[in-house]
Amino acid sequence: MTDPSDAPLFKLFWQNGELNPTRAALLGRRIAADAVRPSGTPAPRHGEAAQPLPDAPADEARRLARRESSRRFGAAPVALEELGRLLHPLRAHVGQQNRLLPSGGGKYPLHVYVALRHVGMPSPWQGRIAWYDSASHGLVPVGNCPAWPALADILGVDWPEPPAAVVFMIGRPETILAKYGERGGRFLLIEAGVYLGALGQQAADMGWSGCAIGSFHDQAVLGLLELDASRHLAVLAYACGPRDAVSGLDADLGAVAAPAGG
């Protein structure tokens, strides 16, 4: 359990950003109001012009361009091998050394759980939620996954069709806060961003769609995973799966029509 003296202000910071149905409704109204504002953030003003830089090779640009934030997924189940490929960047070796992804202080405060919505697994596993064991690159069942309408409510989304899988990034912050105090909270969020980038690139390389979810209801997610809210944080969720036929066609046409360097 986290010692409050390690980071006395971190809990307040985190609670101020948690969502429940009431807070989610307020956030939804803010997002709707923001839709009429210009996108992006104004660039800083400097006295000198920018120095142009050489561009990356075309194949690197194309690989990054394959990433797609989409809320539309195909209905066919994915193979277990595909799920293993998606999660491969998160795996660890014996003794948690030589991981592919970094962590502040080597603390690795994130645990990963996966809701297996459309994954081709033996019948006892179908429709389950599993903890991802990074040391063995395996899955440990922890409970049943609710039907998509109930899970969508917990996630705060209104998508008609479910993704193949939803990856939950859950924080266990005690070790990183003990080392870094409140600053460790930033490292925890950085690590979630690193995980998200890795999963997003894997999904793109596999021809999948994916979408980060920040609208989930924190305590409902922890309850779904049967986790102690005094020790765990719902940090981020990532839905992914093969594109549906329409969004896949749109992505292909967009790739053809996009201007060079766009």
Side-chain angles (χ1 to χ4, degrees):
M1 185 176 297
T2 304
D3 184 346
S5 65
D6 289 334
L9 299 180
F10 175 75
K11 185 175 182 180
L12 177 62
F13 155 74
W14 195 266
Q15 288 178 335
N16 283 339
E18 288 184 350
L19 288 183
N20 54 38
T22 300
R23 285 186 168 185
L26 292 172
L27 178 61
R29 288 197 286 272
R30 291 177 68 104
I31 293 173
D34 184 69
V36 300
R37 301 189 184 105
S39 61
T41 302
R45 295 180 179 273
H46 297 285
E48 297 185 21
Q51 167 64 47
L53 298 171
D55 207 348
D59 57 339
E60 292 184 20
R62 283 193 293 268
R63 182 171 183 262
L64 292 173
R66 283 199 297 268
R67 294 178 300 173
E68 179 188 16
S69 181
S70 172
R71 299 163 176 82
R72 300 173 65 175
F73 303 96
V78 303
L80 192 59
E81 292 79 6
E82 293 176 289
L83 184 63
R85 180 181 174 189
L86 175 78
L87 297 175
H88 174 79
L90 311 185
R91 71 173 303 171
H93 296 287
V94 177
Q96 298 187 346
Q97 301 297 318
N98 301 319
R99 289 203 185 195
L100 296 175
L101 301 181
S103 177
K107 296 302 181 182
Y108 292 97
L110 287 183
H111 288 219
V112 169
Y113 293 77
V114 187
L116 306 168
R117 290 307 316 162
H118 285 314
V119 180
M121 301 187 70
S123 56
W125 283 86
Q126 293 177 3
R128 304 293 299 277
I129 293 177
W131 171 64
Y132 173 64
D133 181 356
S134 61
S136 68
H137 190 51
L139 296 174
V140 179
V142 298
N144 293 321
C145 184
W148 175 241
L151 181 57
D153 283 344
I154 291 173
L155 295 172
V157 301
D158 59 359
W159 311 338
E161 299 296 333
V166 179
V167 180
F168 294 98
M169 302 175 207
I170 303 297
R172 279 279 301 273
E174 62 262 29
T175 57
I176 201 163
L177 296 182
K179 181 169 185 175
Y180 296 113
E182 282 87 356
R183 198 72 174 183
R186 297 197 190 191
F187 299 154
L188 175 73
L189 295 175
I190 289 171
E191 187 165 328
V194 170
Y195 279 38
L196 177 62
L199 291 173
Q201 193 61 65
Q202 286 292 101
D205 289 345
M206 295 162 61
W208 286 14
S209 293
C211 184
I213 301 173
S215 56
F216 56 82
H217 302 167
D218 294 63
Q219 299 305 315
V221 166
L222 297 179
L224 175 68
L225 304 178
E226 301 181 3
L227 297 174
D228 182 354
S230 68
R231 302 185 66 186
H232 299 86
L233 306 170
V235 179
L236 191 61
Y238 178 69
C240 58
R243 301 184 180 109
D244 72 356
V246 174
S247 65
L249 177 60
D250 290 345
D252 290 341
L253 291 175
V256 172

